[in-house]
Amino acid sequence: MWDGSSIETCDGAFGNYLRYNNSHKLSLYLASALPVIIWSQEAEASFIIDNNLGLTIDSLNDLPKVLNKVTKEEYEHFAINAREVAKKLRRGDLTKVALKKAVKALEK
């Protein structure tokens, strides 16, 4: 996933928006059980890393180097984890967790 007019960074209004927005495109890819590669400054970058769902990069120029380091086993782990997250997304599990957190925050 990449947005902006530069291959160096996600720039401009749409690129900067990725810092704050949970992209529907990312949700679509994950709901389809696809491992992802996203910008390291994107709002969901830590979710991708913490759940071992793919890679983050700083620049599209980094892509060949990063991809060459991915082993078959590592990719298989990304794919297995993406399938598990896909199930959760399609059932609405992550939405339910977010709603419970929101309700709890409002009750304080």
Side-chain angles (χ1 to χ4, degrees):
M1 291 191 27
W2 201 263
D3 208 340
S5 59
S6 170
I7 64 170
E8 295 297 325
T9 188
C10 289
D11 65 353
F14 292 114
N16 196 41
Y17 190 56
L18 290 175
R19 292 180 194 267
Y20 309 101
N21 181 42
N22 296 335
S23 168
H24 112 280
K25 188 188 294 185
L26 177 59
S27 296
L28 174 64
Y29 292 158
L30 291 175
S32 300
L34 296 172
V36 295
I37 301 171
I38 67 171
W39 182 39
S40 63
Q41 301 301 309
E42 194 166 323
E44 294 297 325
S46 62
F47 179 80
I48 298 305
I49 296 302
D50 292 347
N51 291 282
N52 204 26
L53 298 168
L55 305 168
T56 63
I57 58 173
D58 295 320
S59 164
L60 288 178
N61 289 322
D62 297 339
L63 199 52
K65 179 178 68 172
V66 169
L67 286 177
N68 285 331
K69 290 182 181 179
V70 175
T71 65
K72 181 179 178 182
E73 292 79 18
E74 186 176 21
Y75 181 81
E76 288 173 1
H77 280 97
F78 293 155
I80 289 166
N81 295 335
R83 284 192 294 274
E84 289 303 311
V85 167
K87 290 176 195 174
K88 292 177 182 178
L89 282 169
R90 291 191 302 259
R91 284 191 310 246
D93 293 353
L94 300 176
T95 301
K96 291 172 191 171
V97 168
L99 288 171
K100 286 178 184 177
K101 285 182 181 179
V103 168
K104 189 174 182 177
L106 290 172
E107 291 174 342
K108 290 183 179 180

